[in-house]
Amino acid sequence: MKKALIFGITGQDGSYAAELLLEKGYEVHGLIRHSATGNTTNITHILEKIILHKGDLADTTSLYRIISTVKPDELYNFADQDHVGWSYDAVDYSFDITGAAVGRVLEIIKQEHPKIRIVQPISSNIFGKAVETPQTENTRPYPMSPYACAKTFAYHLARYYRETFGIFAAVAIFYNHESERRTDEYVSRKITKAVANIKQKRQKKLCLGNIDTEIDFGYARDYVEACWHILQLEKPEDFIICTGELHSVREFVEEAFTCIGIELAWRGQGLDEIGYDKITGIEYVGFDRQFFRPSKTAALQGDNSKAKKMFGFSPKVKFKELVRKMVENDLKEV
């Protein structure tokens, strides 16, 4: 039986990975931080089937202990400070946990267990002000936030340990991937939870930032499955994991409201713009300067042709189904 170790197992990606690997017959281990011990919602249904280890990416001794104890065949590192907005306010923490911690893990593997296969997810935010569209595995990084800079560091660390020491360190460059397990700090879940609350008359209005930003939205479970395929290949490489389609946040908002029978119309511009119900005229969407980011990035659109060629990657859940899944989930929760 293969053993897998998942960092970030309580989060969106990590919990989907745990489910997937259990389905494939793996013995599944996960790292859990002290601050996450009371937040196991995403893995409550599988707690009796997995083995959790206390530790933290900021603590090298715990990483060494866990990796040496488990001796996994595969390691999935979904743990990081994964929010762009937060990275502006917690710069040092973001650099350490999202960037430097990857080096800690790779060094432990190199010194103690060089046979471990590791997949390191990276964000499309590394491309920032993209020098070309669509982006491929050969596109030069151009990060535009502390989070993106840290992810770029992690990307180069994986490449360095792979090329210099022969470690099986593969990189999955994830574009935006959403699901019912997103926290409401992310715009996608903020929208769908607000729509569910509006439907139940528990909220009157949704406030957002720049909704004309175009995003390559995918479904998290599809992307996690891609990570598993990447670790089954003969040699470690870098892969763009995306849908290749762009949709604006405005489209996401409109589609979410459509799910509860409201067709939005718009009037005004910028912070004065209003989204309202075409039929009733009731205002449901407004804007607030606090939700605008200090630096702008290009519309990031990936080219996933390498992943398609190497292991048949093809996103199963498309944009409209993704939005519907999230809205229906939040309606049940509300």
Side-chain angles (χ1 to χ4, degrees):
M1 178 185 291
K2 278 189 175 182
K3 287 193 286 187
L5 175 58
I6 302 171
F7 292 164
I9 195 169
T10 61
Q12 170 185 260
D13 296 355
S15 60
Y16 280 125
E19 291 175 349
L20 175 71
L21 293 169
L22 285 172
E23 290 169 7
K24 293 185 178 296
Y26 281 65
E27 179 180 303
V28 177
H29 297 253
L31 178 152
I32 186 166
R33 294 177 299 139
H34 176 68
S35 59
T37 51
N39 183 27
T40 56
T41 304
N42 291 333
I43 56 172
T44 299
H45 60 298
I46 55 171
L47 278 175
E48 295 182 357
K49 301 177 182 179
I50 61 178
I51 303 164
L52 296 179
H53 303 264
K54 297 174 183 176
D56 199 298
L57 285 185
D59 181 64
T60 305
T61 56
S62 66
L63 295 177
Y64 180 89
R65 171 178 49 80
I66 295 167
I67 293 172
S68 296
T69 299
V70 177
K71 295 182 178 64
D73 298 288
E74 299 171 4
L75 196 159
Y76 298 77
N77 185 21
F78 295 112
D80 59 7
Q81 190 301 102
D82 64 349
H83 197 281
V84 176
W86 268 91
S87 76
Y88 293 107
D89 299 310
V91 177
D92 184 55
Y93 179 77
S94 297
F95 287 161
D96 184 44
I97 299 302
T98 305
V102 175
R104 293 185 194 115
V105 173
L106 289 166
E107 184 62 23
I108 293 170
I109 291 174
K110 176 180 78 81
Q111 291 189 21
E112 299 296 325
H113 307 283
K115 297 294 185 183
I116 293 174
R117 293 185 168 212
I118 178 173
V119 61
Q120 178 59 53
I122 304 294
S123 169
S124 60
N125 279 275
I126 67 171
F127 297 124
K129 284 188 176 180
V131 297
E132 62 181 356
T133 300
Q135 297 86 49
T136 72
E137 291 78 5
N138 297 316
T139 300
R140 177 172 62 85
Y142 199 145
M144 289 299 294
S145 68
Y147 167 76
C149 289
K151 278 295 189 183
T152 303
F153 182 28
Y155 166 72
H156 286 300
L157 282 167
R159 177 193 52 77
Y160 165 69
Y161 274 84
R162 179 173 72 217
E163 295 181 1
T164 306
F165 304 110
I167 302 298
F168 194 110
V171 170
I173 304 173
F174 280 1
Y175 281 63
N176 282 63
H177 50 296
E178 319 298 328
S179 79
E180 306 91 319
R181 297 178 187 177
R182 268 295 199 202
T183 65
D184 53 12
E185 289 180 310
Y186 290 85
V187 68
S188 58
R189 191 75 191 283
K190 178 181 178 179
I191 292 167
T192 60
K193 287 187 77 171
V195 165
N197 281 319
I198 287 170
K199 173 68 173 177
Q200 300 299 331
K201 302 188 186 313
R202 297 186 177 188
Q203 184 174 334
K204 292 183 177 180
K205 202 168 184 178
L206 166 64
C207 269
L208 296 167
N210 180 13
I211 64 169
D212 290 318
T213 300
E214 292 187 307
I215 296 174
D216 189 328
F217 289 106
Y219 189 53
R221 200 179 194 284
D222 290 344
Y223 289 28
V224 166
E225 187 173 352
C227 281
W228 178 80
H229 282 291
I230 288 170
L231 286 188
Q232 312 315 306
L233 298 174
E234 289 186 9
K235 61 179 183 177
E237 296 186 36
D238 304 331
F239 292 93
I240 297 272
I241 305 299
C242 66
T243 68
E245 298 178 2
L246 287 179
H247 296 275
S248 68
V249 176
R250 187 185 298 270
E251 287 180 74
F252 198 107
V253 173
E254 291 172 346
E255 192 62 37
F257 273 96
T258 297
C259 291
I260 60 168
I262 294 176
E263 186 177 357
L264 287 182
W266 306 89
R267 64 169 178 265
Q269 290 184 336
L271 293 174
D272 296 322
E273 189 172 16
I274 295 294
Y276 63 95
D277 184 339
K278 272 186 177 181
I279 305 298
T280 65
I282 297 173
E283 296 179 0
Y284 287 120
V285 184
F287 299 85
D288 192 319
R289 192 175 299 279
Q290 68 172 309
F291 300 123
F292 286 78
R293 290 178 180 172
S295 59
K296 293 183 179 180
T297 61
L300 299 176
Q301 182 177 18
D303 177 355
N304 60 21
S305 56
K306 180 180 177 182
K308 283 183 179 179
K309 179 181 178 181
M310 294 293 288
F311 54 88
F313 175 71
S314 180
K316 299 170 186 174
V317 177
K318 303 297 185 181
F319 176 72
K320 288 189 176 185
E321 184 183 355
L322 167 64
V323 180
R324 179 183 56 77
K325 276 178 172 287
M326 294 179 69
V327 172
E328 288 180 352
N329 173 80
D330 287 333
L331 285 169
K332 289 177 183 176
E333 288 196 358
V334 169

